[in-house]
């Protein structure tokens, strides 16, 4: 049941995001689109409520309950940047705005960028662990909590793997292509 809620939340995220951007750029209704885009976090609240309800009604704690917490952490930590990314692309495709530049980061800029992204992953994991610990308190059964604890381990592994990626780009940041920004943009155009 929780997997269905997670899938529904993911679909709802993209549907509400697309609707908000369509209202903004096709119908030119900025205020209405802002209201739609502000509704995106409500999807996470509904998923959290459904997960808590399932556990409170005697649902057996499973990895999927922890997955709901991971999803919540990801959308809180990365949701704004995903919406901003989609908004830039919609402004270009639907609103006649400039083409979003392709990031070509090298050296210290690349390293700093990777560590900023890692910080978001750390935030996502921290949110997920807090939610999982709240679920464990809710069920109040240490033996039944082991699937939830394994999800905490998955969050820790994600943080560790992402730290390795950021460390890689700190040690080997790569070199600039030697192109001017205008040349780099032209090279990336279809």
């Amino acid at each position: 049941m929780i997997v269905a809620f997670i899938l529904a939340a993911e679909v709802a995220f993209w549907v509400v995001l697309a609707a908000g951007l369509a209202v903004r750029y096709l119908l030119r209704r900025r205020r209405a689109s802002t209201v739609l885009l502000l509704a995106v976090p409500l999807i996470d609240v509904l998923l959290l409520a459904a997960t808590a309800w399932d556990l409170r009604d005697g649902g057996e704690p499973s990895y999927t309950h922890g997955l709901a917490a991971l999803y919540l952490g990801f959308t809180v930590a990365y949701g704004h940047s995903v919406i901003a990314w989609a908004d830039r692309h919609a402004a270009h495709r639907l609103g006649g705005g400039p083409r979003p530049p392709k990031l070509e980061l090298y050296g210290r800029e690349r390293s700093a960028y990777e560590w900023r992204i890692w910080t978001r992953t750390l935030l996502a994991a921290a949110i997920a662990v807090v939610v999982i610990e709240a679920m464990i308190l809710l069920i109040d059964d240490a033996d039944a909590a082991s699937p939830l604890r394994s999800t905490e381990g998955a969050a820790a592994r994600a943080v560790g793997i992402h730290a390795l990626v950021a460390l890689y780009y700190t040690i080997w940041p790569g070199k600039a292509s030697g192109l001017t920004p205008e040349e780099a943009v032209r090279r990336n155009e279809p």
Side-chain angles (χ1 to χ4, degrees):
M1 177 171 127
I2 294 302
V3 173
F5 279 118
I6 295 169
L7 292 173
E10 181 66 16
V11 169
F13 173 85
W14 290 105
V15 167
V16 171
L17 176 59
L21 294 174
V23 167
R24 175 172 288 177
Y25 294 108
L26 296 177
L27 301 179
R28 308 266 189 240
R29 308 266 323 234
R30 187 155 183 92
R31 228 181 258 178
S33 75
T34 301
V35 170
L36 277 169
L37 294 175
L38 287 174
V40 170
L42 294 176
I43 297 165
D44 296 331
V45 171
L46 292 173
L47 176 61
L48 184 59
T51 304
W53 188 328
D54 185 52
L55 287 172
R56 199 146 204 260
D57 273 358
E60 185 175 330
S62 68
Y63 186 79
T64 57
H65 291 95
L67 189 60
L70 291 174
Y71 178 83
L72 176 69
F74 176 83
T75 56
V76 169
Y78 283 94
H80 179 72
S81 62
V82 169
I83 291 170
W85 170 86
D87 189 38
R88 286 189 302 273
H89 285 273
H92 169 66
R93 297 274 184 195
L94 304 174
R99 180 185 199 94
K102 183 175 181 184
L103 281 179
E104 289 196 31
L105 300 175
Y106 301 97
R108 286 185 173 182
E109 287 179 350
R110 178 63 184 250
S111 177
Y113 171 79
E114 293 297 335
W115 286 109
R116 280 193 307 273
I117 298 299
W118 173 82
T119 303
R120 286 188 183 168
T121 301
L122 181 64
L123 175 63
I127 291 167
V129 167
V130 166
V131 170
I132 290 168
E133 287 298 321
M135 288 181 198
I136 291 170
L137 287 174
L138 182 68
I139 59 174
D140 197 26
D141 182 359
D143 294 334
S146 98
L148 295 174
R149 297 257 185 235
S150 70
T151 311
E152 289 179 332
R157 284 189 298 278
V159 170
I161 291 168
H162 203 154
L164 291 174
V165 170
L167 184 61
Y168 172 85
Y169 282 107
T170 300
I171 296 170
W172 298 286
K175 296 181 181 174
S177 64
L179 300 174
T180 66
E182 294 80 21
E183 291 170 330
V185 168
R186 278 196 305 270
R187 175 187 259 186
N188 293 319
E189 288 180 355

